[in-house]
Structure formats: C-alpha cells, structure tokens
Amino acid sequence: MFGLLQPDKVKVGQRIKEIKESMNLSFTELGNRLGKKKPTISSYVQGYALAPESVINQLSSISGKPVGWFYFGDIEEYISDYLQLKGQNRIVQEHPKVVKAIKEEFYTGEFKNPAWENEVGYPCEEFMDDYFYELQQEVIKEEIQRMVRDQIKNLSIADELSKQKKDEAVAVITSGIIEYMDVAGEFNYEKKYDMINLVKQEVDKYDFFADSNFEDRYLVGKLINILADQQKTVELINRLSEELTKKSFSGRFGGEELIEAFETLRPALIQIYSKVRTDELEDWFK
C-alpha cells in the first residue's frame, strides 16, 4: 500500500488524537464508533501500533479528513517528507516553492488529477520524482544565474562593464554551465558548493570585453548573434524583405531606424535565452 515513504506511527497517533479531541470524544466513545476496545484505541493514539486501513477509513468518514492526512499529514507535509527522504533537504528548505508547485500540479483548479493519485489519495511517488526533476532544473538555473551575477558584481572590472555586457555574460555563462550539467547528468541541488566552485571557474575565464557568442543551434541564439553585428542585421532584414516583398533593403535614406529597431530585440531575446530550457527550445523548433 505504501511506497518508499512509510507512515510514522507516532504522528498517525497524534492525528487520531487531534480528531478525538476535536469531536470531544473519550477513548471509550471513539472505540464504540470504530468497533474497537479502549486499549486498542489508546495504542493507536500513543503510537504503539499503526491503526489498520479499515480504522483509518472509518476515521476519515467520521471526520471528513482525507485518508492520506491520517497517514502523512497535509499534502505539502507529505511531499516535503518524501523529498527529504530522497535526500533533497536543501532544496526543500531553501525553495519551498518546489513543494507548492508539485501540489499545484496535482491539484488542477478545484480538482485533483486522479491519474497521479496513490491508494491514500495523494500524489504517487513516481509522479513526484518526474515533476521534481523538471522543477529542480529550473531552480538550479535560477541559482546559477544569481551566483554568476554575484560573482560579476564582485569583479575588479565590474564598474567598467555596461548592464548589457553583464546581462550577456550571465546568459552565456549560465547556459554553458547548464549544458555541462545536463550532459554530465549532474542536476542535483544538494551539490550547491560544487555549483559555486563551477561558477567561480567559469566567471574567472570569461572574456568580458570580447563579443559574446551565444549557442546558435536554435533560432533564439542565432538571432542574438546576428543582431550584435550591424552588417549581419542588414543582411537579415534584406533576406526578410526579399522573401516577403520581393524587394531588396537598403540601410540608407532612413533605413538605419529599421536596423536600430531590429537591434532593440536583442536584449529581449537574451532574456528568453536565459529563461527557457533547452528541451523547451527543442519543442519550439521541431
């Protein structure tokens, strides 16, 4: 009935006691309702024995509390306990939004998804594993971006760098680290100190005064690289013009304004490049 996470007899007993007291029932009265003797009910409440499924189902019917609550507490407690049992203590403590996101994925609007439900009505462990892996990647990317920004801020040349140069560096360095971690299979937030050391190494060897070169396997990176060069931007506009209007584009006679307008797209594209995961980009450009 249970997976890796097992009910804690003491905590289950405390929840039974909470229901008993909220209904103002004695051990004998609660026992009568459940068809159990007082000593048996007392053993459940004291945590000496785990109440069987039949008793938990009766308690759920009497109290209106879900079966899963008696075994594992509220759903966020259940998710948190499971992740920590899997060794994910740091991410649970530092990013409680991960637990909330798994809960929200299970509960869609006012309804929960029964396809992800285990025998006690809570998200099955396989679902939590799959969705946690996606969330962990997002959290790690956010953390690396923050670490890179902090490292750049502390550089002796920081005051010489424009905001645009800093943003470009954050995007390029973060992307490179994420690519490495993906290939190496090292997405694990618990290895935070390894991430910090990796960020320091990559920032130290980055050339802030050279033109940034973005990964251009997909259109976003390619456009960022093109729009950094005015001549390439002119060539792009010309190709678009010939494709759409059968007319060539000239940057003269006021055409510079169109070139500048295209170049203003670059910071927005860098933001997209920074936020979107590679697997999402693969979906965009299949």
Side-chain angles (χ1 to χ4, degrees):
M1 179 176 178
F2 305 113
L4 185 64
L5 184 63
Q6 297 288 312
D8 183 308
K9 290 187 291 187
V10 174
K11 289 184 178 179
V12 173
Q14 290 170 348
R15 295 182 193 113
I16 294 173
K17 182 180 179 181
E18 182 181 328
I19 295 303
K20 181 182 85 69
E21 292 179 348
S22 69
M23 299 179 71
N24 198 27
L25 297 173
S26 66
F27 282 111
T28 301
E29 290 169 330
L30 182 57
N32 290 337
R33 290 202 180 195
L34 299 174
K36 300 290 182 181
K37 294 181 179 179
K38 175 180 175 180
T40 302
I41 298 299
S42 179
S43 70
Y44 299 155
V45 171
Q46 298 300 322
Y48 298 139
L50 181 66
E53 184 181 357
S54 58
V55 170
I56 295 297
N57 286 333
Q58 285 178 284
L59 285 166
S60 177
S61 297
I62 292 170
S63 65
K65 290 281 190 181
V67 169
W69 178 83
F70 286 94
Y71 285 124
F72 301 111
D74 64 38
I75 192 167
E76 289 189 18
E77 182 180 352
Y78 164 76
I79 295 168
S80 176
D81 285 348
Y82 175 71
L83 294 179
Q84 291 183 82
L85 182 63
K86 296 274 286 188
Q88 301 297 337
N89 300 288
R90 184 190 292 274
I91 197 169
V92 169
Q93 293 166 4
E94 297 181 4
H95 294 274
K97 66 179 183 179
V98 169
V99 172
K100 287 183 170 58
I102 293 175
K103 175 186 175 181
E104 289 169 5
E105 186 72 6
F106 178 61
Y107 285 97
T108 54
E110 296 179 0
F111 305 97
K112 61 184 177 182
N113 191 329
W116 299 330
E117 192 174 290
N118 62 17
E119 292 181 7
V120 299
Y122 276 9
C124 64
E125 293 178 357
E126 292 81 3
F127 157 69
M128 290 193 287
D129 287 338
D130 290 344
Y131 192 48
F132 172 76
Y133 183 75
E134 294 180 23
L135 293 170
Q136 181 178 226
Q137 289 187 55
E138 293 176 9
V139 169
I140 286 175
K141 187 167 186 178
E142 290 173 7
E143 280 292 313
I144 289 175
Q145 286 176 331
R146 182 188 61 77
M147 291 176 189
V148 173
R149 287 191 186 280
D150 288 345
Q151 286 294 313
I152 293 174
K153 193 183 302 181
N154 294 325
L155 291 174
S156 59
I157 60 169
D159 291 340
E160 302 174 42
L161 302 173
S162 66
K163 182 180 182 304
Q164 179 178 331
K165 274 291 183 184
K166 291 176 182 176
D167 288 344
E168 289 181 13
V170 170
V172 172
I173 294 171
T174 299
S175 177
I177 293 174
I178 293 295
E179 185 78 14
Y180 163 77
M181 294 176 74
D182 190 25
V183 172
E186 294 185 358
F187 280 113
N188 188 347
Y189 189 84
E190 302 306 298
K191 296 182 178 180
K192 191 170 181 179
Y193 292 111
D194 291 346
M195 289 194 290
I196 293 172
N197 291 331
L198 186 57
V199 166
K200 287 179 179 177
Q201 293 172 17
E202 294 303 310
V203 171
D204 286 344
K205 70 182 184 183
Y206 185 80
D207 187 349
F208 289 88
F209 297 102
D211 291 335
S212 300
N213 188 29
F214 290 76
E215 171 60 55
D216 61 1
R217 282 184 299 159
Y218 303 105
L219 182 61
V220 176
K222 189 172 287 290
L223 284 173
I224 293 171
N225 291 332
I226 289 172
L227 296 175
D229 184 298
Q230 188 176 78
Q231 183 55 43
K232 290 181 179 178
T233 302
V234 170
E235 292 171 4
L236 172 64
I237 296 172
N238 186 53
R239 287 166 62 187
L240 285 171
S241 180
E242 289 181 344
E243 174 69 24
L244 298 174
T245 68
K246 309 302 181 187
K247 296 178 182 178
S248 298
F249 168 74
S250 170
R252 295 175 296 172
F253 311 114
E256 297 91 344
E257 292 184 6
L258 182 58
I259 297 170
E260 290 173 2
F262 266 71
E263 290 174 338
T264 61
L265 293 173
R266 193 165 182 270
L269 290 169
I270 291 173
Q271 285 296 314
I272 293 173
Y273 186 95
S274 300
K275 293 177 181 178
V276 179
R277 299 196 309 270
T278 301
D279 58 344
E280 290 178 308
L281 283 176
E282 289 174 354
D283 290 337
W284 289 9
F285 300 104
K286 283 182 176 178

